[in-house]
Amino acid sequence: LTPKPVIEAINDYYLNISANIHRGKHYLSEKASNLYEESRYRVAQFAGCSGNEVVFVRNTTEALNMVSYGLDLQEEDLVVAFTDSHHSNFLPWKSKCITKVVRVNRLGGVDLDHYEQLLKEHPKVVALTHCSNVSGLYIPIEKMIQKAKMAGALVVVDAAQSVAHRPVKMQALGADFLAFSGHKMLGPTGIGVLCARQSLLNQMNPLLLGGGMVDWVETESYTLRKIPHRFEAGTPNIAGAIGLAQAIDYIESIRFDQIKNHDIQMGRYMLQLAKERPYLNVVAPLAEEERGGIISFYIKNIKDLGDIAKILSDSFGVLCRTGHMCAQPYVDLGGQGQVLRASAYIYNTQDDILRLFQALDQVIDIIGE
């Protein structure tokens, strides 16, 4: 959901400014440019990096594609990815070079022994997913980054599912790249962030070429702008960047210790109620692992869950997602087709979670009849 301060900041831009950035010296263009760059530095503070290490993009998907393209990977290079990765942290690597996938253990968590085996092959890149958007499980990210760096790999972290629930600082973690999206952290859609070490950004090739990312153009040559602007071709999502900064202010006003505790409580309660229902098979039902307020499950003997989700929405006012969650190799391990996913955030309560499972009970009773 989107808080009112975020909406008000976006509205203020469109109602009172509505000018492009870095394109002119008139008052409104200067004002828009200042707000946009202030937003960049607010994101940098939030993500634990420098302002010139923040690139605004459309979403996590674009950020990860920007890295896979910009690193100029060769076909023989090795990338280590994970079975539970979102497609956005798997397909960009697979399309460029050799990509080997870390297995999951028998309960659906990351097989750390297999991870260490693959690191012995000296990958060029390790593409980590901080929190699975299917299971809600968090990986031991500090430990895994440390091992990847010891193997000589660049580390890319997909933090789309975690930055709204935990403090995630790129430099403190030791990561080289960090990617996330605004819409998963109370911000607007169409805005995302790539944080990258300055030294690596200076070496990378821009994914897009055009206006706004060059200092000088002649018929025979052109000169790129300094980082991060060389990676932001064309008119950016100015209102989105401003809205994202407001979302960060909103999240940090609540404090991450409270958000994290609430997230853990939601995850535990979801798992408890799901395990009490024999008609459900939970993806990665690991109670002892760190997990957030996400749960996905199969419903026994029902492969197409679209009708279940529609009934929950239209008859009970409970909105869930069904399908492969853009992580089909992981979901397919269950051998039952689609999953139904419920996800909770700071505005949800245990009563909301209970309402979901009570609604499911009624739906299954009717179907069983």
Side-chain angles (χ1 to χ4, degrees):
L1 300 179
T2 312
K4 287 182 178 179
V6 176
I7 297 170
E8 289 167 356
I10 294 169
N11 284 346
D12 181 66
Y13 166 76
Y14 281 119
L15 289 171
N16 299 313
I17 305 173
S18 201
N20 210 334
I21 61 166
H22 309 319
R23 300 295 198 275
K25 294 298 181 182
H26 62 77
Y27 170 71
L28 290 180
S29 179
E30 290 281 356
K31 187 171 184 179
S33 300
N34 289 338
L35 285 171
Y36 186 79
E37 294 305 327
E38 286 170 10
S39 299
R40 188 191 307 278
Y41 283 95
R42 185 67 183 91
V43 171
Q45 181 186 42
F46 174 77
C49 61
S50 300
N52 66 352
E53 295 178 318
V54 171
V55 179
F56 284 124
V57 292
R58 290 180 300 166
N59 42 50
T60 307
T61 299
E62 184 175 7
L64 294 169
N65 275 271
M66 186 176 285
V67 178
S68 72
Y69 176 83
L71 289 178
D72 195 25
L73 296 168
Q74 305 301 305
E75 288 184 4
E76 65 272 15
D77 288 331
L78 172 62
V79 173
V80 171
F82 292 79
T83 304
D84 65 347
S85 295
H86 190 282
H87 294 163
S88 299
N89 205 18
F90 174 64
L91 295 179
W93 311 112
K94 188 172 179 61
S95 69
K96 293 287 183 183
C97 56
I98 300 168
T99 303
K100 295 191 177 181
V101 178
V102 178
R103 296 189 297 257
V104 296
N105 58 35
R106 63 183 184 85
L107 292 177
V110 173
D111 186 333
L112 294 176
D113 290 335
H114 188 224
Y115 174 61
E116 293 191 21
Q117 275 185 325
L118 292 181
L119 289 181
K120 292 177 182 177
E121 300 184 31
H122 301 290
K124 184 165 184 178
V125 174
V126 171
L128 297 173
T129 299
H130 191 189
C131 176
S132 167
N133 71 303
V134 178
S135 67
L137 292 179
Y138 282 79
I139 61 171
I141 192 165
E142 292 91 348
K143 175 182 176 182
M144 293 178 73
I145 289 176
Q146 184 181 31
K147 289 182 179 296
K149 300 305 289 185
M150 289 174 62
L154 294 172
V155 177
V156 181
V157 178
D158 174 357
Q161 200 64 59
S162 61
V163 291
H165 306 273
R166 308 284 192 277
V168 182
K169 307 293 185 183
M170 185 186 78
Q171 292 180 359
L173 285 174
D176 298 295
F177 300 94
L178 183 75
F180 54 94
S181 296
H183 71 273
K184 284 182 178 281
M185 51 180 295
L186 303 179
T189 58
I191 188 72
V193 174
L194 171 64
C195 300
R197 292 191 182 275
Q198 179 178 336
S199 58
L200 292 169
L201 278 180
N202 276 319
Q203 299 171 31
M204 285 171 54
N205 300 313
L207 179 62
L208 300 174
L209 299 174
M213 50 79 66
V214 282
D215 274 333
W216 196 261
V217 178
E218 297 178 353
T219 55
E220 301 298 327
S221 64
Y222 58 88
T223 304
L224 297 175
R225 291 184 70 187
K226 293 181 179 180
I227 62 170
H229 303 289
R230 68 175 59 172
F231 296 98
E232 295 178 1
T235 299
N237 186 351
I238 304 165
I242 294 168
L244 177 58
Q246 286 295 319
I248 289 171
D249 286 347
Y250 191 95
I251 288 170
E252 292 193 340
S253 72
I254 300 172
R255 300 206 326 266
F256 267 117
D257 55 344
Q258 293 191 51
I259 293 173
K260 179 179 178 179
N261 289 337
H262 179 267
D263 189 44
I264 292 171
Q265 290 172 9
M266 291 289 99
R268 287 175 178 169
Y269 192 52
M270 286 175 166
L271 185 61
Q272 174 193 327
L273 294 185
K275 284 186 169 182
E276 291 173 359
R277 286 154 171 84
Y279 61 84
L280 298 179
N281 286 333
V282 178
V283 177
L286 294 160
E288 68 278 5
E289 300 288 336
E290 183 180 357
R291 63 187 307 127
I294 296 175
I295 193 165
S296 296
F297 42 75
Y298 309 93
I299 298 179
K300 293 179 182 178
N301 303 318
I302 302 176
K303 284 191 176 287
D304 186 352
L305 300 178
D307 287 341
I308 302 293
K310 187 170 179 59
I311 293 169
L312 288 175
S313 169
D314 296 353
S315 298
F316 297 93
V318 176
L319 280 64
C320 298
R321 182 177 166 185
T322 58
H324 290 99
M325 307 299 123
C326 296
Q328 187 168 353
Y330 186 48
V331 170
D332 281 350
L333 289 176
Q336 299 178 56
Q338 301 178 351
V339 292
L340 187 145
R341 183 184 70 185
S343 54
Y345 196 41
I346 52 176
Y347 38 72
N348 291 117
T349 66
Q350 288 195 350
D351 286 343
D352 295 332
I353 308 306
L354 180 60
R355 181 177 175 182
L356 159 65
F357 284 97
Q358 289 176 338
L360 267 176
D361 291 340
Q362 293 186 53
V363 174
I364 297 303
D365 283 345
I366 293 169
I367 291 174
E369 295 173 0

